[in-house]
Amino acid sequence: MRPDRYNARESEPHWQRIWDERKIFESRNDDARPKYYVLEMFPYPSGRIHMGHVRNYAMGDVVARYMRARGYNVLHPMGWDAFGMPAENAAMQSGAHPATWTYANIDTMRRQLKSMGLSLDWSREIATCDPSYYKHQQRIFLDFLKAGLVDRKTARVNWDPVDQTVLANEQVIDGRGWRSGALVEQRDLTQWFFKITQFAEDLLEGLDTLDQWPDKVRLMQRNWIGRSEGLRMRFAIAPDSRLPAQSDIEVFTTRPDTIFGASFLGLSVDHPIVRALAEANGKLKSFCDECRRIGTSAAVLETTEKQGFDTGLKVLHPFDDAIALPVYATNFVLMDYGTGAIFGCPAHDQRDLDFANKYGLSKTPVVCPPGVDPASIKIGKEAFDGDGLLINSRFLDGKSIDEAKEEIACKLESRELFGRPQGQRQVNFRLRDWGVSRQRYWGCPIPVVHCDACGVVPVGASDLPVVLPQDVDFKTPGNPLDRHPTWKHTTCPQCGGAARRETDTMDTFVDSSWYFARFTDPWNTEEPTNLPAISKWLPVDQYIGGIEHAILHLLYSRFFTRGLRTTGHADLDEPFKGLFTQGMVVHETYRAGDGSWLAPNEIRIESAAEGRKAYALAGGAEIEIGSIEKMSKSKRNTVDPDEIIGTFGADAARWFMLSDSPPEGDVIWSEEGVQGVARFMQRVWRLVGDMKTIAAPAGSGRPAEFDEAAMTIRKAAHNALAKVEDDIVRLRFNRCIAHANELVNKLGQTIGSIESPQIGAGLAFACREAAEALVMIIAPMMPHLAETCWADLGCEDLVSLASWPAADRSLIREDVITLPIQINGKKRAEVVVPRDADETTIRSIVLADDAVRKAIDGRQVKRVVIVRERIVNVVV
RNA sequence: GCGGACGUGGCGAAACUGGUAGACGCAAGGGACUUAAAAUCCCUCGGGCACCCCCCGUGCGGGUUCGAUCCCCGCCGUCCGCACCA
C-alpha cells in the first residue's frame, strides 16, 4: 500500500542502513574505471556539526553522487582535523582528557554526518590525533628535515607570560593574549620552521596552472607570496661617523631609480647596527623598546605616527660623496623584510614623505609625471608613485623609470665598495618561512631529541611514532609536555647518552596539509602514502571548503605536496585541481526589548501583508527582527542540524542549502524556505505516484509513435536532464534545483490534463522515462526520497547505483521556433518560423506579421537585423 | 591607504556573458474544495496608466551599438582580502 505522504523520518535511516550494509560508497584502489576524487575540507571535531557543515558536505555529496552515476570510480572520504587548542581548553575547564573529549565529539559528529545520508567512504576515515596518522606525519617531518626543508632558528614570537605559550598573531588582541588577557611580549625563541620560502617562486608560478580555482583565491595567494624585484645596495658610512665593525649599510629597494631623491636612511629598531648603537645610548634604547612594545597589530599601525631617532650616523650618496644622508632608527621599517634598512625618497613614497615632513628632511622630486612642468612640482602631503620621466637626477635625467632602474643596477653591480659589489639585484618575497612550533600538548610531537653531546638528533624511523603521554595535567599554565615528569627524558639515538625530547608540537595546519594524500591509502602502516595510490587518485578533482582557508591551508597544502614530491612520497605539484569556496549560512537575528538575543526556536513568526512580526514563545512579547548575520553562538541565530533533520529530514535540509543562492554566496536559512522544500518533496512523491499509474513497466521498450502529450513529457524530461548536466558540473546547484522545479511543474500540468482513455504505449513509455529522469535528477540532492521513489517505480536495484540517463538533445530541438521581434530595439511581436528558415524567409514572415506592421506603422524599414535562432530587430 | 568583488521586484535570485529582463523559489493577495482547519489545486504578483494598448524600469550620469543587466568612461554605495613588505 503506497502511503499518501512520504515519511522522511522512516525512510532516511532505512536507506542509510542499506547503503551502509552493502558498502556501496566504498571505493577500491584497484577499480579500473576513470577516477574522480571529490573532497570537502574535513571538520574540526568541536562537538556538533553546524549548518555550514551541512552546506559544505551537501555540495560535495551532489558532485560525488552525480559523478558516480556518470560511471566514475569516485573517492569521497571523510576524516577529522582532530588536534588543536579547544581540546586543551576543554581539559582546563572540565578536566576531561583532550583525547576523551575529541573522540567523544568525533562519535557525535560522525553520527550526525551519517544522518545526512552522505555517500562517504567511511572505511577510509582518519583522525589526525591518532598515532596511526601522526606517526606518518613525523616520518614526513624527518624526511623534510633530511631534505633541507626544515629549519631551526630563532624567531620573534608573541609570548603570553601567563599561559606561558606562544600565540599566533590572530590570537593577540590589542596587545593582549586572547585567553589570559596578559600583555603579550615579543620574545626571541628557537623555533622549528618549514622552509616554504624555498618554493616561493614555484608556488607563485603554480598558481597560473590552477585554472579551476577561483581567481579571487589565486589573487589572494599571489599577494600573500608578494614577489618583488629590486636591488640590494650598500651605502658607505661617512668616515667621521664610521663604527669600528661597520663600514657600510645595506638597504633593499625596488626604486633604485629614485636614488637622487634620497634624503635619509631608515633602519629597523631591530637592525644590528641600531642594536649595537643602543647599547651605548640610553635614549635610543628606550626609543627602540617603545617601538617594540607598541607592536604591529593592524589597528595600531593605522594610527601610529612615523617616528625616528637620529643615530648620528651619516652615509654617503653612492653617486656623490658630497651628499651625506642622515641615518634614522625608525618604527616603520621591518627587520624581517629585505635587509631591515631602506633609503627614504620622500617625493615618491608616502611613508618616507610622512617621515620627512615630520623631521624636516629635504624632498626632491625625481620623477616627473607626463605633461607636467618639472619646475611647477610642489610636494605637499601626497607622494607621487606613478609613471614619468626622471628629473633632478644628473645622468638619469629624461630616462624612463625602467631605464633608470636598469642603469643604476648595472652601475652598482659593476662597482666595488670595500671589496664587494656595491649593488646586487634581488627578488624578494613577502612570504615568510612557516613556523610550526607550538608549546602545546594536543598536537603532533616533533620527532627529535636534544642531546648535549650530539645536538639535535632525529628520532629513528623505527622508533616512530613518538606518542603523546596520557597522564598530563592542565591545571598549571605552560606546556604540559615540558613539565611532564618523565616523558621528555630519553636516550640519544646517536650516542645512547641521556637526552631530552623536543617538547614542542606541530601547528595543526601541518595535520591538514597532507590528509588528502593519506586518504588514498589510509591503511598503509609502513608509509605515509604510496606512489601508486597517489598517482591513481591525486590530484583532488574537486575540493570544496570555506574561503577562510584561501591562503593558509591551501598554501601549506601546496607546499607540502611539493615537499612530498621532493622526498619521494608523491609525484605531483598541485594537490587540488578544482577548488570551490562556498558561502556561509546566515540567519535573521532576534532581539528582545532588554537587548538579549533569542534563538530561532524561541520565537514565533507571524506574517501578513503589512510584514512579518516575531513574538517570544515564552511570554508572547513582540521581538525585534534584526539583521541577517552569519550564524553564531553569540547572536544565538543558529539552527541545529539535528533538529532540522529530525523535523524535515536530511533531504529537505540538503535541498534547501543548495536551492536559494548561488553556492559561492551566502544562503539565508529560513523556516519558511525549508517548509517550501517539504511541500516540494510531497509534490514529487504524489507526482511519481500519479505517473506510476500511467507508466509502462520498468524496462519496457520504446514505441515508435508518441502523441502530443507524450512528446511534451519527453521533451520536458530531456530538457531538464540536459540543463542539469550542464549546471551540476559547474556546481550551479541553485539552477539545478530550478530545473527540477520546472520539470515537476511541467509534468504535473501535463499529467493533470490527461484523460485516462488516451493512454497509449507512447504516453506510458514517456511517463516511465520522465518519472525515472525526475528521480535521477533529484537523487544527488535528495538521495533518500529518490531511493523511495525509485523503489516505488519498480526500478532495478538502487538509484544510488543507477547510471545517469544521458539527455537526448535532439528531442529538445524544436522544428519551429518562436522568434521575438524588436522594432528599434524594443520587443513588439513574436513570430513562429521554421528552425532552418533562411534570412530571406524570416524577413518576409516578419514583415508580413500583423503586429509587426502595426508597430512599424508605415515607417520606412531601414534595416532588418536577424540573429539566427535568437531575435530579429527591425530598424525603421 | 593598496588590491578585488558586487549593486536586478516585498525577499533570495535567473538571464545561454551583447539578443524577449525578472526563470525558479519564498512572502503576499484573490478564488476553488471543506461543516471547519490543514493539505491540495487555480489565478494575480516591478512601477505607472486610459489595464489585451502604451510609457518607464537592472545604483546614478554619459558613451559605443540595430540592440546594453552584460562592453567603455565618470560618480555613488555595499562587502571582502592585505595592511608600514620599501
mmCIF file of all heavy atoms in Angstrom, chain A residues 530-570:
data_model
loop_
_atom_site.group_PDB
_atom_site.id
_atom_site.type_symbol
_atom_site.label_atom_id
_atom_site.label_comp_id
_atom_site.label_asym_id
_atom_site.label_seq_id
_atom_site.Cartn_x
_atom_site.Cartn_y
_atom_site.Cartn_z
ATOM 1 N N ASN A 530 51.554 5.766 -0.638
ATOM 2 C CA ASN A 530 52.416 5.049 -1.571
ATOM 3 C C ASN A 530 52.158 5.584 -2.963
ATOM 4 O O ASN A 530 51.053 6.027 -3.288
ATOM 5 C CB ASN A 530 52.214 3.535 -1.471
ATOM 6 C CG ASN A 530 50.922 3.099 -2.097
ATOM 7 O OD1 ASN A 530 50.844 2.950 -3.304
ATOM 8 N ND2 ASN A 530 49.898 2.921 -1.284
ATOM 9 N N LEU A 531 53.183 5.579 -3.763
ATOM 10 C CA LEU A 531 53.111 6.258 -5.051
ATOM 11 C C LEU A 531 52.000 5.757 -5.977
ATOM 12 O O LEU A 531 51.326 6.574 -6.590
ATOM 13 C CB LEU A 531 54.466 6.197 -5.762
ATOM 14 C CG LEU A 531 55.461 7.257 -5.276
ATOM 15 C CD1 LEU A 531 56.794 7.094 -5.989
ATOM 16 C CD2 LEU A 531 54.917 8.664 -5.495
ATOM 17 N N PRO A 532 51.791 4.442 -6.067
ATOM 18 C CA PRO A 532 50.688 4.018 -6.952
ATOM 19 C C PRO A 532 49.345 4.617 -6.531
ATOM 20 O O PRO A 532 48.577 5.076 -7.384
ATOM 21 C CB PRO A 532 50.696 2.494 -6.819
ATOM 22 C CG PRO A 532 52.094 2.163 -6.439
ATOM 23 C CD PRO A 532 52.572 3.295 -5.584
ATOM 24 N N ALA A 533 49.072 4.623 -5.231
ATOM 25 C CA ALA A 533 47.787 5.175 -4.770
ATOM 26 C C ALA A 533 47.716 6.676 -5.018
ATOM 27 O O ALA A 533 46.685 7.209 -5.438
ATOM 28 C CB ALA A 533 47.587 4.870 -3.285
ATOM 29 N N ILE A 534 48.832 7.345 -4.768
ATOM 30 C CA ILE A 534 48.880 8.785 -5.019
ATOM 31 C C ILE A 534 48.638 9.070 -6.494
ATOM 32 O O ILE A 534 47.844 9.931 -6.864
ATOM 33 C CB ILE A 534 50.279 9.339 -4.624
ATOM 34 C CG1 ILE A 534 50.456 9.290 -3.114
ATOM 35 C CG2 ILE A 534 50.493 10.739 -5.173
ATOM 36 C CD1 ILE A 534 49.857 10.446 -2.386
ATOM 37 N N SER A 535 49.340 8.321 -7.344
ATOM 38 C CA SER A 535 49.210 8.557 -8.783
ATOM 39 C C SER A 535 47.802 8.252 -9.252
ATOM 40 O O SER A 535 47.288 8.892 -10.154
ATOM 41 C CB SER A 535 50.172 7.678 -9.575
ATOM 42 O OG SER A 535 51.432 7.716 -8.990
ATOM 43 N N LYS A 536 47.212 7.249 -8.624
ATOM 44 C CA LYS A 536 45.867 6.885 -9.052
ATOM 45 C C LYS A 536 44.868 7.998 -8.725
ATOM 46 O O LYS A 536 44.063 8.382 -9.550
ATOM 47 C CB LYS A 536 45.412 5.596 -8.383
ATOM 48 C CG LYS A 536 43.967 5.281 -8.734
ATOM 49 C CD LYS A 536 43.466 3.997 -8.162
ATOM 50 C CE LYS A 536 42.015 3.755 -8.592
ATOM 51 N NZ LYS A 536 41.859 3.490 -10.024
ATOM 52 N N TRP A 537 44.932 8.512 -7.506
ATOM 53 C CA TRP A 537 43.832 9.383 -7.040
ATOM 54 C C TRP A 537 44.118 10.882 -7.149
ATOM 55 O O TRP A 537 43.205 11.668 -7.384
ATOM 56 C CB TRP A 537 43.485 9.066 -5.585
ATOM 57 C CG TRP A 537 42.827 7.745 -5.380
ATOM 58 C CD1 TRP A 537 43.355 6.655 -4.736
ATOM 59 C CD2 TRP A 537 41.511 7.349 -5.813
ATOM 60 N NE1 TRP A 537 42.448 5.611 -4.736
ATOM 61 C CE2 TRP A 537 41.314 6.024 -5.385
ATOM 62 C CE3 TRP A 537 40.486 7.995 -6.517
ATOM 63 C CZ2 TRP A 537 40.132 5.323 -5.631
ATOM 64 C CZ3 TRP A 537 39.311 7.299 -6.764
ATOM 65 C CH2 TRP A 537 39.138 5.979 -6.328
ATOM 66 N N LEU A 538 45.337 11.282 -6.877
ATOM 67 C CA LEU A 538 45.598 12.718 -6.853
ATOM 68 C C LEU A 538 45.814 13.244 -8.271
ATOM 69 O O LEU A 538 46.254 12.496 -9.134
ATOM 70 C CB LEU A 538 46.801 13.034 -5.965
ATOM 71 C CG LEU A 538 46.579 12.865 -4.467
ATOM 72 C CD1 LEU A 538 47.836 13.264 -3.694
ATOM 73 C CD2 LEU A 538 45.387 13.657 -3.969
ATOM 74 N N PRO A 539 45.553 14.497 -8.545
ATOM 75 C CA PRO A 539 45.076 15.476 -7.587
ATOM 76 C C PRO A 539 43.589 15.311 -7.259
ATOM 77 O O PRO A 539 42.879 14.622 -7.984
ATOM 78 C CB PRO A 539 45.286 16.803 -8.331
ATOM 79 C CG PRO A 539 45.119 16.449 -9.767
ATOM 80 C CD PRO A 539 45.723 15.079 -9.891
ATOM 81 N N VAL A 540 43.177 15.945 -6.177
ATOM 82 C CA VAL A 540 41.760 16.024 -5.858
ATOM 83 C C VAL A 540 41.089 16.769 -7.016
ATOM 84 O O VAL A 540 41.515 17.854 -7.384
ATOM 85 C CB VAL A 540 41.540 16.797 -4.537
ATOM 86 C CG1 VAL A 540 40.057 17.018 -4.276
ATOM 87 C CG2 VAL A 540 42.192 16.057 -3.377
ATOM 88 N N ASP A 541 40.065 16.142 -7.597
ATOM 89 C CA ASP A 541 39.428 16.785 -8.751
ATOM 90 C C ASP A 541 38.586 17.982 -8.327
ATOM 91 O O ASP A 541 38.564 18.999 -9.003
ATOM 92 C CB ASP A 541 38.572 15.766 -9.496
ATOM 93 C CG ASP A 541 39.438 14.688 -10.110
ATOM 94 O OD1 ASP A 541 39.966 14.914 -11.205
ATOM 95 O OD2 ASP A 541 39.635 13.627 -9.477
ATOM 96 N N GLN A 542 37.872 17.796 -7.242
ATOM 97 C CA GLN A 542 37.069 18.921 -6.764
ATOM 98 C C GLN A 542 37.194 19.027 -5.245
ATOM 99 O O GLN A 542 36.817 18.111 -4.531
ATOM 100 C CB GLN A 542 35.592 18.732 -7.141
ATOM 101 C CG GLN A 542 34.736 19.940 -6.808
ATOM 102 C CD GLN A 542 35.149 21.183 -7.585
ATOM 103 O OE1 GLN A 542 35.115 21.195 -8.805
ATOM 104 N NE2 GLN A 542 35.582 22.222 -6.878
ATOM 105 N N TYR A 543 37.748 20.144 -4.818
ATOM 106 C CA TYR A 543 37.907 20.391 -3.387
ATOM 107 C C TYR A 543 36.932 21.499 -3.024
ATOM 108 O O TYR A 543 36.816 22.490 -3.758
ATOM 109 C CB TYR A 543 39.346 20.845 -3.120
ATOM 110 C CG TYR A 543 39.789 20.799 -1.668
ATOM 111 C CD1 TYR A 543 39.359 19.795 -0.811
ATOM 112 C CD2 TYR A 543 40.671 21.760 -1.167
ATOM 113 C CE1 TYR A 543 39.796 19.756 0.506
ATOM 114 C CE2 TYR A 543 41.110 21.719 0.141
ATOM 115 C CZ TYR A 543 40.670 20.714 0.976
ATOM 116 O OH TYR A 543 41.100 20.670 2.286
ATOM 117 N N ILE A 544 36.226 21.320 -1.921
ATOM 118 C CA ILE A 544 35.195 22.288 -1.563
ATOM 119 C C ILE A 544 35.366 22.696 -0.103
ATOM 120 O O ILE A 544 35.500 21.846 0.776
ATOM 121 C CB ILE A 544 33.780 21.699 -1.756
ATOM 122 C CG1 ILE A 544 33.618 21.139 -3.163
ATOM 123 C CG2 ILE A 544 32.709 22.760 -1.484
ATOM 124 C CD1 ILE A 544 32.278 20.473 -3.433
ATOM 125 N N GLY A 545 35.377 23.989 0.137
ATOM 126 C CA GLY A 545 35.505 24.452 1.524
ATOM 127 C C GLY A 545 35.321 25.947 1.609
ATOM 128 O O GLY A 545 34.971 26.604 0.632
ATOM 129 N N GLY A 546 35.575 26.451 2.792
ATOM 130 C CA GLY A 546 35.316 27.869 3.051
ATOM 131 C C GLY A 546 36.429 28.764 2.545
ATOM 132 O O GLY A 546 37.595 28.371 2.491
ATOM 133 N N ILE A 547 36.069 29.967 2.204
ATOM 134 C CA ILE A 547 37.020 30.954 1.694
ATOM 135 C C ILE A 547 38.030 31.336 2.768
ATOM 136 O O ILE A 547 39.120 31.814 2.461
ATOM 137 C CB ILE A 547 36.249 32.202 1.188
ATOM 138 C CG1 ILE A 547 37.162 33.221 0.510
ATOM 139 C CG2 ILE A 547 35.521 32.904 2.325
ATOM 140 C CD1 ILE A 547 37.558 32.856 -0.866
ATOM 141 N N GLU A 548 37.698 31.081 4.029
ATOM 142 C CA GLU A 548 38.616 31.477 5.110
ATOM 143 C C GLU A 548 39.937 30.710 5.028
ATOM 144 O O GLU A 548 40.920 31.104 5.652
ATOM 145 C CB GLU A 548 37.956 31.294 6.488
ATOM 146 C CG GLU A 548 37.647 29.860 6.893
ATOM 147 C CD GLU A 548 36.272 29.401 6.392
ATOM 148 O OE1 GLU A 548 35.733 30.037 5.457
ATOM 149 O OE2 GLU A 548 35.747 28.411 6.950
ATOM 150 N N HIS A 549 39.950 29.623 4.260
ATOM 151 C CA HIS A 549 41.203 28.891 4.107
ATOM 152 C C HIS A 549 41.937 29.229 2.819
ATOM 153 O O HIS A 549 42.871 28.536 2.418
ATOM 154 C CB HIS A 549 40.936 27.387 4.171
ATOM 155 C CG HIS A 549 40.459 26.952 5.517
ATOM 156 N ND1 HIS A 549 39.168 26.509 5.746
ATOM 157 C CD2 HIS A 549 41.064 26.956 6.711
ATOM 158 C CE1 HIS A 549 39.035 26.234 7.030
ATOM 159 N NE2 HIS A 549 40.159 26.499 7.641
ATOM 160 N N ALA A 550 41.507 30.337 2.186
ATOM 161 C CA ALA A 550 42.042 30.703 0.872
ATOM 162 C C ALA A 550 43.564 30.793 0.883
ATOM 163 O O ALA A 550 44.211 30.464 -0.102
ATOM 164 C CB ALA A 550 41.451 32.028 0.418
ATOM 165 N N ILE A 551 44.131 31.228 1.969
ATOM 166 C CA ILE A 551 45.570 31.394 1.988
ATOM 167 C C ILE A 551 46.254 30.272 2.746
ATOM 168 O O ILE A 551 46.865 29.399 2.150
ATOM 169 C CB ILE A 551 45.961 32.770 2.524
ATOM 170 C CG1 ILE A 551 45.423 33.842 1.575
ATOM 171 C CG2 ILE A 551 47.483 32.886 2.637
ATOM 172 C CD1 ILE A 551 45.598 35.248 2.055
ATOM 173 N N LEU A 552 46.125 30.265 4.070
ATOM 174 C CA LEU A 552 46.994 29.390 4.849
ATOM 175 C C LEU A 552 46.879 27.913 4.485
ATOM 176 O O LEU A 552 47.835 27.323 3.999
ATOM 177 C CB LEU A 552 46.740 29.608 6.337
ATOM 178 C CG LEU A 552 47.074 31.028 6.816
ATOM 179 C CD1 LEU A 552 46.924 31.128 8.318
ATOM 180 C CD2 LEU A 552 48.478 31.429 6.408
ATOM 181 N N HIS A 553 45.711 27.319 4.712
ATOM 182 C CA HIS A 553 45.593 25.876 4.499
ATOM 183 C C HIS A 553 45.950 25.489 3.061
ATOM 184 O O HIS A 553 46.658 24.510 2.824
ATOM 185 C CB HIS A 553 44.179 25.408 4.845
ATOM 186 C CG HIS A 553 43.825 24.068 4.297
ATOM 187 N ND1 HIS A 553 44.555 22.939 4.603
ATOM 188 C CD2 HIS A 553 42.858 23.663 3.441
ATOM 189 C CE1 HIS A 553 44.022 21.900 3.955
ATOM 190 N NE2 HIS A 553 43.000 22.326 3.242
ATOM 191 N N LEU A 554 45.449 26.265 2.122
ATOM 192 C CA LEU A 554 45.663 25.899 0.718
ATOM 193 C C LEU A 554 47.118 26.110 0.296
ATOM 194 O O LEU A 554 47.669 25.342 -0.485
ATOM 195 C CB LEU A 554 44.708 26.686 -0.175
ATOM 196 C CG LEU A 554 43.245 26.270 -0.006
ATOM 197 C CD1 LEU A 554 42.317 27.265 -0.685
ATOM 198 C CD2 LEU A 554 43.018 24.878 -0.588
ATOM 199 N N LEU A 555 47.750 27.133 0.840
ATOM 200 C CA LEU A 555 49.146 27.376 0.515
ATOM 201 C C LEU A 555 50.038 26.319 1.173
ATOM 202 O O LEU A 555 50.959 25.778 0.556
ATOM 203 C CB LEU A 555 49.541 28.777 0.986
ATOM 204 C CG LEU A 555 50.838 29.361 0.456
ATOM 205 C CD1 LEU A 555 50.782 29.483 -1.067
ATOM 206 C CD2 LEU A 555 51.092 30.728 1.069
ATOM 207 N N TYR A 556 49.746 26.009 2.418
ATOM 208 C CA TYR A 556 50.526 24.979 3.124
ATOM 209 C C TYR A 556 50.404 23.634 2.419
ATOM 210 O O TYR A 556 51.381 22.897 2.286
ATOM 211 C CB TYR A 556 50.032 24.840 4.567
ATOM 212 C CG TYR A 556 50.288 26.041 5.451
ATOM 213 C CD1 TYR A 556 49.477 26.304 6.555
ATOM 214 C CD2 TYR A 556 51.345 26.910 5.207
ATOM 215 C CE1 TYR A 556 49.702 27.401 7.379
ATOM 216 C CE2 TYR A 556 51.576 28.006 6.026
ATOM 217 C CZ TYR A 556 50.757 28.248 7.112
ATOM 218 O OH TYR A 556 50.974 29.321 7.932
ATOM 219 N N SER A 557 49.176 23.313 1.956
ATOM 220 C CA SER A 557 48.984 22.033 1.269
ATOM 221 C C SER A 557 49.765 22.004 -0.046
ATOM 222 O O SER A 557 50.304 20.972 -0.433
ATOM 223 C CB SER A 557 47.496 21.797 0.993
ATOM 224 O OG SER A 557 46.788 21.713 2.199
ATOM 225 N N ARG A 558 49.806 23.130 -0.713
ATOM 226 C CA ARG A 558 50.564 23.203 -1.958
ATOM 227 C C ARG A 558 52.059 23.052 -1.671
ATOM 228 O O ARG A 558 52.777 22.372 -2.394
ATOM 229 C CB ARG A 558 50.279 24.531 -2.675
ATOM 230 C CG ARG A 558 48.827 24.695 -3.106
ATOM 231 C CD ARG A 558 48.594 26.016 -3.811
ATOM 232 N NE ARG A 558 49.414 26.116 -5.013
ATOM 233 C CZ ARG A 558 50.062 27.203 -5.403
ATOM 234 N NH1 ARG A 558 49.970 28.316 -4.685
ATOM 235 N NH2 ARG A 558 50.791 27.206 -6.487
ATOM 236 N N PHE A 559 52.509 23.667 -0.589
ATOM 237 C CA PHE A 559 53.908 23.498 -0.185
ATOM 238 C C PHE A 559 54.190 22.038 0.161
ATOM 239 O O PHE A 559 55.193 21.459 -0.281
ATOM 240 C CB PHE A 559 54.211 24.383 1.037
ATOM 241 C CG PHE A 559 55.414 23.940 1.809
ATOM 242 C CD1 PHE A 559 56.699 24.096 1.298
ATOM 243 C CD2 PHE A 559 55.271 23.331 3.057
ATOM 244 C CE1 PHE A 559 57.811 23.670 2.006
ATOM 245 C CE2 PHE A 559 56.383 22.905 3.768
ATOM 246 C CZ PHE A 559 57.655 23.071 3.252
ATOM 247 N N PHE A 560 53.304 21.453 0.942
ATOM 248 C CA PHE A 560 53.515 20.078 1.389
ATOM 249 C C PHE A 560 53.596 19.119 0.209
ATOM 250 O O PHE A 560 54.405 18.200 0.196
ATOM 251 C CB PHE A 560 52.382 19.655 2.334
ATOM 252 C CG PHE A 560 52.884 19.273 3.694
ATOM 253 C CD1 PHE A 560 53.304 20.262 4.574
ATOM 254 C CD2 PHE A 560 52.961 17.946 4.087
ATOM 255 C CE1 PHE A 560 53.782 19.924 5.831
ATOM 256 C CE2 PHE A 560 53.455 17.603 5.334
ATOM 257 C CZ PHE A 560 53.867 18.587 6.202
ATOM 258 N N THR A 561 52.738 19.338 -0.767
ATOM 259 C CA THR A 561 52.743 18.457 -1.926
ATOM 260 C C THR A 561 54.095 18.532 -2.637
ATOM 261 O O THR A 561 54.641 17.520 -3.068
ATOM 262 C CB THR A 561 51.591 18.835 -2.871
ATOM 263 O OG1 THR A 561 50.384 18.850 -2.108
ATOM 264 C CG2 THR A 561 51.454 17.836 -3.988
ATOM 265 N N ARG A 562 54.656 19.734 -2.703
ATOM 266 C CA ARG A 562 55.987 19.881 -3.293
ATOM 267 C C ARG A 562 57.041 19.190 -2.427
ATOM 268 O O ARG A 562 57.961 18.546 -2.940
ATOM 269 C CB ARG A 562 56.311 21.360 -3.480
ATOM 270 C CG ARG A 562 55.586 21.961 -4.655
ATOM 271 C CD ARG A 562 55.564 23.480 -4.608
ATOM 272 N NE ARG A 562 55.024 24.026 -5.844
ATOM 273 C CZ ARG A 562 53.735 24.063 -6.156
ATOM 274 N NH1 ARG A 562 52.834 23.583 -5.312
ATOM 275 N NH2 ARG A 562 53.331 24.568 -7.306
ATOM 276 N N GLY A 563 56.875 19.334 -1.113
ATOM 277 C CA GLY A 563 57.803 18.674 -0.207
ATOM 278 C C GLY A 563 57.708 17.152 -0.325
ATOM 279 O O GLY A 563 58.725 16.449 -0.322
ATOM 280 N N LEU A 564 56.477 16.652 -0.429
ATOM 281 C CA LEU A 564 56.280 15.209 -0.565
ATOM 282 C C LEU A 564 56.912 14.717 -1.861
ATOM 283 O O LEU A 564 57.442 13.612 -1.930
ATOM 284 C CB LEU A 564 54.785 14.862 -0.538
ATOM 285 C CG LEU A 564 54.087 15.029 0.824
ATOM 286 C CD1 LEU A 564 52.578 14.862 0.677
ATOM 287 C CD2 LEU A 564 54.626 14.035 1.844
ATOM 288 N N ARG A 565 56.852 15.566 -2.843
ATOM 289 C CA ARG A 565 57.464 15.194 -4.118
ATOM 290 C C ARG A 565 58.987 15.145 -3.969
ATOM 291 O O ARG A 565 59.641 14.183 -4.385
ATOM 292 C CB ARG A 565 57.075 16.217 -5.183
ATOM 293 C CG ARG A 565 57.703 15.898 -6.506
ATOM 294 C CD ARG A 565 57.312 16.936 -7.548
ATOM 295 N NE ARG A 565 57.726 16.425 -8.850
ATOM 296 C CZ ARG A 565 57.034 16.548 -9.959
ATOM 297 N NH1 ARG A 565 55.889 17.185 -9.937
ATOM 298 N NH2 ARG A 565 57.476 16.063 -11.087
ATOM 299 N N THR A 566 59.547 16.155 -3.343
ATOM 300 C CA THR A 566 60.987 16.207 -3.124
ATOM 301 C C THR A 566 61.479 14.984 -2.359
ATOM 302 O O THR A 566 62.556 14.466 -2.618
ATOM 303 C CB THR A 566 61.348 17.483 -2.324
ATOM 304 O OG1 THR A 566 60.811 18.616 -3.010
ATOM 305 C CG2 THR A 566 62.845 17.642 -2.167
ATOM 306 N N THR A 567 60.669 14.521 -1.410
ATOM 307 C CA THR A 567 61.102 13.414 -0.563
ATOM 308 C C THR A 567 60.610 12.064 -1.069
ATOM 309 O O THR A 567 60.690 11.068 -0.362
ATOM 310 C CB THR A 567 60.600 13.630 0.879
ATOM 311 O OG1 THR A 567 59.188 13.882 0.855
ATOM 312 C CG2 THR A 567 61.305 14.810 1.523
ATOM 313 N N GLY A 568 60.049 12.058 -2.292
ATOM 314 C CA GLY A 568 59.675 10.794 -2.908
ATOM 315 C C GLY A 568 58.353 10.210 -2.467
ATOM 316 O O GLY A 568 58.042 9.060 -2.771
ATOM 317 N N HIS A 569 57.558 10.979 -1.750
ATOM 318 C CA HIS A 569 56.263 10.455 -1.297
ATOM 319 C C HIS A 569 55.133 10.737 -2.280
ATOM 320 O O HIS A 569 54.032 10.209 -2.125
ATOM 321 C CB HIS A 569 55.893 11.061 0.061
ATOM 322 C CG HIS A 569 56.766 10.596 1.178
ATOM 323 N ND1 HIS A 569 56.776 9.290 1.607
ATOM 324 C CD2 HIS A 569 57.657 11.258 1.953
ATOM 325 C CE1 HIS A 569 57.645 9.174 2.611
ATOM 326 N NE2 HIS A 569 58.202 10.355 2.833
ATOM 327 N N ALA A 570 55.370 11.633 -3.204
ATOM 328 C CA ALA A 570 54.318 11.976 -4.162
ATOM 329 C C ALA A 570 54.980 12.330 -5.480
ATOM 330 O O ALA A 570 56.197 12.514 -5.549
ATOM 331 C CB ALA A 570 53.484 13.141 -3.656
#
